[in-house]
């Protein structure tokens, strides 16, 4: 169910709901006239659910690689002003310059640098001139000591949110293998490119 998946996300990504609220806050403080919004890696539609409350007349495109996630999003959001696109964020199949806002919330960390650059290029391609791209990603530490601290903090978060020791360690072992956090410098370089 959407509620079960959302509960898992809330217990896996520290400050996930705060990220969504802050993304909306950036849009609210911009001078963008929000008519069309594309949410890349939309999952169950949490970003759009919050955005829709503030911009009820906007049209939304939710893109995700998972049909199951899109089905959960559709269950939560319905069809009014919504379009659900099953596809990859590095080849969206969405019209050029068709969005005032593009959000990409915690969805690119599975890509290597080349794939991440492709996703960002696609996001810019669908963005209208003067539009706004908001992307949030896991940030990797620059040093081994920093990675050790990050790992300990995430481990504590996972354990405090119901994961057992084995599940927490299994999740943490995905770092750099299944998901690839980048340093702030690497994020900036990819955005500039």
């Amino acid at each position: 169910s959407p509620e079960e998946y959302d509960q898992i996300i809330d217990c896996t990504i520290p400050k996930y709901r705060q990220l969504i609220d802050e993304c909306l806050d950036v849009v609210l403080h911009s001078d963008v006239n929000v008519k069309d919004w594309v949410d890349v890696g939309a999952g169950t539609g949490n970003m759009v659910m919050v955005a829709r409350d503030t911009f009820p007349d906007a049209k939304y495109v939710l893109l995700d690689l998972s049909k199951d996630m899109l089905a959960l999003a559709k269950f939560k959001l319905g069809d009014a002003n919504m379009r659900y696109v099953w596809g990859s964020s590095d080849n969206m199949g969405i019209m050029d310059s068709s969005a005032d806002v593009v959000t990409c919330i915690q969805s690119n960390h599975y890509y290597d640098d080349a794939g991440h650059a492709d996703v960002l290029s696609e996001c810019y391609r669908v963005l209208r001139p003067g539009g706004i791209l908001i992307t949030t990603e896991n940030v990797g530490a620059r040093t081994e000591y920093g990675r050790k601290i990050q790992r300990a903090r995430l481990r504590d978060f996972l354990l405090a949110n119901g994961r057992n020791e084995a599940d927490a360690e299994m999740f943490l072992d995905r770092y750099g293998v299944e998901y690839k956090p980048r340093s702030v410098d690497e994020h900036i370089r990819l955005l500039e490119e």
Side-chain angles (χ1 to χ4, degrees):
S1 77
E3 294 81 17
E4 290 171 328
Y5 179 80
D6 290 344
Q7 185 178 11
I8 291 168
I9 288 294
D10 290 339
C11 294
T12 302
I13 300 174
K15 301 180 183 179
Y16 174 69
R17 299 295 168 167
Q18 182 180 345
L19 282 174
I20 289 174
D21 290 342
E22 289 188 18
C23 291
L24 181 62
D25 191 54
V26 169
V27 176
L28 285 169
H29 285 88
S30 75
D31 57 3
V32 173
N33 182 13
V34 180
K35 292 184 253 172
D36 297 284
W37 186 312
V38 174
D39 190 28
V40 178
T44 65
N46 291 323
M47 181 74 247
V48 171
M49 180 171 273
V50 171
R52 180 181 66 178
D53 289 343
T54 304
F55 302 102
D57 296 327
K59 293 179 181 159
Y60 296 92
V61 174
L62 291 84
L63 177 118
D64 205 281
L65 191 56
S66 168
K67 287 182 179 179
D68 291 340
M69 291 291 108
L70 289 174
L72 292 173
K74 189 171 185 174
F75 177 79
K76 282 169 47 175
L77 297 167
D79 287 320
N81 291 341
M82 302 292 159
R83 191 176 89 169
Y84 302 92
V85 177
W86 174 60
S88 177
S89 52
D90 60 351
N91 187 12
M92 293 184 205
I94 296 173
M95 194 169 69
D96 291 1
S97 302
S98 59
D100 305 299
V101 177
V102 175
T103 46
C104 202
I105 311 304
Q106 296 302 106
S107 63
N108 291 334
H109 48 267
Y110 296 107
Y111 288 99
D112 60 15
D113 280 356
H116 194 128
D118 290 344
V119 171
L120 292 173
S121 292
E122 278 289 280
C123 288
Y124 280 111
R125 182 186 63 74
V126 302
L127 195 62
R128 286 189 181 113
I132 188 168
L133 165 64
I134 303 171
T135 179
T136 68
E137 291 301 332
N138 298 318
V139 174
R142 296 173 96 188
T143 66
E144 188 59 40
Y145 182 61
R147 285 186 286 282
K148 179 181 172 185
I149 292 170
Q150 281 182 322
R151 184 180 176 98
R153 290 183 71 212
L154 182 53
R155 181 181 178 279
D156 287 350
F157 175 83
L158 293 170
L159 293 174
N161 283 281
R163 299 279 177 107
N164 63 39
E165 294 276 344
D167 286 343
E169 287 302 316
M170 191 166 51
F171 182 82
L172 292 167
D173 287 344
R174 297 170 56 217
Y175 186 99
V177 178
E178 286 182 43
Y179 74 97
K180 300 160 179 68
R182 291 164 181 82
S183 70
V184 169
D185 294 338
E186 291 168 320
H187 281 289
I188 290 170
R189 177 183 56 79
L190 287 166
L191 284 165
E192 286 174 342
E193 288 174 4

